[in-house]
Amino acid sequence: MIVHIPDKLYHGIINYSLKQQPEEACGFILGSPIPSRGVNIDVISFVAMRNISSHPLTHFEMHPAEMIPYLTDKQQPIVGIFHSHPTAPPLPSQRDLQTLWHDIPTHWILSLQKPHFPELQIYETKKATPTTYHKLSFVIG
């Protein structure tokens, strides 16, 4: 699977995440309807969500009422869940792997450890015991 990301959207995610520092930024990645897992994904937009976590420096949590319109949109479905790691590498934490987001095709993590060189990784997660993940390829532009 390859994820196609418009350049403007990629830079928008980075700028939004930098503005949210030192807290984790979070949101949804919307795309074209996906016929099945394993096919390429065309990203259409990024929807920033408020991080309502009681520990926003190290964890993200979205308000359920704010998520509902996006969870039910069939025209531009959620193709990714996004959050930043302000001080950590772009690897899923144990807490990330324990989330209930495994039905969403991709999990995006942007590391801001080096703010002038942000590092994005996109993963596909598999719910199993234990939960596994692997990096996906992506194209910007």
Side-chain angles (χ1 to χ4, degrees):
M1 174 188 320
I2 297 176
V3 180
H4 298 272
I5 309 165
D7 188 61
K8 185 176 180 180
L9 188 138
Y10 170 74
H11 291 288
I13 290 171
I14 291 171
N15 290 334
Y16 173 73
S17 299
L18 289 168
K19 288 177 186 170
Q20 300 307 305
Q21 283 188 302
E23 297 181 357
E24 288 194 5
C26 58
F28 289 128
I29 307 297
L30 306 180
S32 300
I34 302 170
S36 65
R37 280 194 176 276
V39 300
N40 293 344
I41 294 176
D42 290 320
V43 174
I44 295 172
S45 62
F46 168 67
V47 178
M49 303 293 281
R50 288 185 303 136
N51 184 350
I52 63 165
S53 172
S54 56
H55 304 286
L57 301 179
T58 59
H59 179 64
F60 77 97
E61 182 178 341
M62 299 180 210
H63 194 287
E66 293 176 7
M67 295 187 308
I68 290 173
Y70 302 101
L71 294 171
T72 58
D73 187 344
K74 302 294 184 215
Q75 299 303 311
Q76 287 189 24
I78 297 170
V79 297
I81 181 108
F82 165 82
H83 75 283
S84 64
H85 283 181
T87 60
L91 298 169
S93 66
Q94 276 305 115
R95 195 164 194 171
D96 292 337
L97 295 174
Q98 294 170 354
T99 67
L100 301 175
W101 296 106
H102 300 292
D103 289 342
I104 294 177
T106 62
H107 192 122
W108 300 41
I109 303 174
L110 178 69
S111 173
L112 299 171
Q113 275 185 304
K114 299 175 186 171
H116 297 294
F117 302 100
E119 182 181 357
L120 176 68
Q121 291 297 333
I122 303 173
Y123 300 94
E124 178 180 33
T125 55
K126 303 270 188 209
K127 186 65 175 167
T129 306
T131 299
T132 60
Y133 64 92
H134 70 275
K135 284 190 212 180
L136 296 175
S137 298
F138 58 93
V139 177
I140 300 167

